[in-house]
Amino acid sequence: MENKVFFTPGPSELYPTVPRHMASAMENKIGSISHRSQQFKDIYAHAVSGLRQLLQLPDNYEVLFLSSANEIWERSIQNTVEQESFHLVNGSFSDRFYEIAQELGRKASKYEVPFGEGFHLESIAIPASAELIALTHNETSSGVSMPVTDVHAVRARTTSDALIFVDAVSSMPIPDIDYSLIDSAFFSVQKCFGLPAGLGVWLVNDRCMAKAEALQANGFSVGSYHSLTSLLSKAKAHQTPETPNVLNIYLLGQVVEEMNKKGIGLIRQETETKASLIYDYLERSTNFDIAVQEPAHRSTTTIVANTILPTSEINKHLSPYDMAIGSGYGNRKENQVRIANFPAHSVAQVQALVYKLEELVG
Amino acid sequence: MENKVFFTPGPSELYPTVPRHMASAMENKIGSISHRSQQFKDIYAHAVSGLRQLLQLPDNYEVLFLSSANEIWERSIQNTVEQESFHLVNGSFSDRFYEIAQELGRKASKYEVPFGEGFHLESIAIPASAELIALTHNETSSGVSMPVTDVHAVRARTTSDALIFVDAVSSMPIPDIDYSLIDSAFFSVQKCFGLPAGLGVWLVNDRCMAKAEALQANGFSVGSYHSLTSLLSKAKAHQTPETPNVLNIYLLGQVVEEMNKKGIGLIRQETETKASLIYDYLERSTNFDIAVQEPAHRSTTTIVANTILPTSEINKHLSPYDMAIGSGYGNRKENQVRIANFPAHSVAQVQALVYKLEELVG
């Protein structure tokens, strides 16, 4: 038995009940049921209605299941951008969304700030010709978060009917988003939902659907089995076009039900409390230095710090105590650490991590 | 505890050791490890080397992990067809591959035979302009299989350098394919490999890679994170571009290792024996009638029969005995049955099913 607690930014610690739900799924042979059966439709509907409740999702939004956030980046461009997208870039993942638009042959432009910095909306000119505006609520690579008030303020700064897409891969369901001020958001289940990887969740409103339908009506290819129209027609019947990751949809429904019982308010409050424990420690640490200078731009879910001691050394020190933290992203692997603060991590576990880090590296 | 044995055509009965491997994955926290870690790379390499051995795959082939066979249909067209593909169609899935080519804006043509029939190669003219020829080794919808000798004979009938793609979604690893006579094959893990759904495996040779590279070099979009070049560059480092379904790759490696210990020869022999048990019964049954007339075109892994008693009634009769068979595909739901004969089904289980069907419905 591995007792290690993973404070890595995803895949991360599983939500504590997941092994139990997985055992139950095996006992009940969920892995063998048909993806066209009523039993599967019930599993699908359970996950969707739980998410609707947890996120307080308006009725004009659909919940769609795809394979990864990478796939959602691709499907977003394919289905809603005929010519041009615009990206706010402040790290590796927001930049990857921008690149994907280019790889799909679209004209993509970006407004980029240095790694570790956030945006000041007043200095950004959004091109009127952009059909999609890509925001990243939480940059998993840099630990920069876009304040929800800024996410909400983008609409008022657009002069067109551009669709606003919010990458919340490593923060959903923590940000309290007003969905009427955006058009789409998406996340991966292996971050804040504490599930095994292999499922991306895409929230899209009627404006996204209308755009995809209009493109399709004009003879434009919007993909095939995972076009928005194909996904939507199956979603209405609580199914997916292909045989999906049934086990993960089942597990998502179970975990979301527990999150709803706990209450999103308490989950958000705990996240704040744990983030303060970590940031307060990083501030007084002699080894670490908070990577994001501007407090308003600091992520509460993926916390990044510069480190004097290489990350691999820190993890060697932590290993006997059954803890692991994430290394920096890309070429920052050894001189930054990333500490995940997800709902799967209890306040006590975070407290124990802070004590241990303080003892081991100062 | 559910004791039902699923003879459904996929998702189907899990390979008997899967619940044990899943428990072990949970104990060892495989769901939490980084997809960039050495531990993951080892899991990836283990699955690939096991598959190479099981399938006797030549060195000029790569093994790639995607999300579903639906995705592989799409990526095949995106990456290897600039203008035109040609499809042998004898059921719903081969037809869907053809439709996907059209949805992606390609000129696709097909040679189609009635549902339940196979092909006679001598009557098929393959267009010289086709860049990809799509064959379906095993049509899961109709129970028609293309004899492997016919799969091998296609190359000699082409006058161009078209790539030959073989859909073996519900038959791999049973057909003994000479990979030098085709260019690509693919399958889903929830069929013959007895795993939970959520992973498609794509085998591609150097000719497919060269085609994708040539298209890309000419400024043609071949997709983004799951372009062949992106998949290949990560595969060389035993990784995937996105965070994949780590648990399923782990489980695949475990099951394939057991299949290798058992030996592909024995697995194929058992498949033949079990198929004979089922077909012999269907032949003498007063309720069933083998759907595929020509014996050479009958699938050994997904066996289809016309039924007098509606399928849902048969399953009601079988239910107290903890058995379930598959319904017919699409509008044949109630007047055909599909019986899966996968490596997860033992000879004794198939024998028991045959006895019980004979007793219950004649």
Side-chain angles (χ1 to χ4, degrees), chain B residues 44 52 57 59-66 75-76 78-81 163-165 182-184 202-217 222 226-236:
Chain B
Y44 186 110
R52 286 193 171 280
L57 205 61
D59 288 344
N60 66 328
Y61 272 75
E62 294 289 335
V63 178
L64 303 172
F65 295 120
L66 291 90
R75 304 304 177 193
S76 298
Q78 277 180 326
N79 281 275
T80 69
V81 179
L163 299 169
I164 298 174
F165 272 60
I182 66 169
D183 298 291
S184 176
W202 190 11
L203 315 175
V204 282
N205 72 5
D206 47 344
R207 297 181 73 228
C208 299
M209 294 294 178
K211 182 68 186 277
E213 281 162 15
L215 289 179
Q216 214 161 5
V222 292
H226 270 185
S227 68
L228 266 181
T229 43
S230 171
L231 283 162
L232 180 66
S233 81
K234 285 294 184 186
K236 297 246 181 244

Side-chain angles (χ1 to χ4, degrees), chain A residues 190-225:
Chain A
Q190 74 272 19
K191 312 285 188 184
C192 288
F193 287 85
L195 294 176
L199 192 68
V201 181
W202 190 12
L203 315 174
V204 282
N205 74 3
D206 48 345
R207 295 182 73 228
C208 298
M209 294 294 179
K211 181 68 186 278
E213 282 163 14
L215 289 179
Q216 213 162 5
N218 287 333
F220 195 82
S221 175
V222 292
S224 64
Y225 74 111

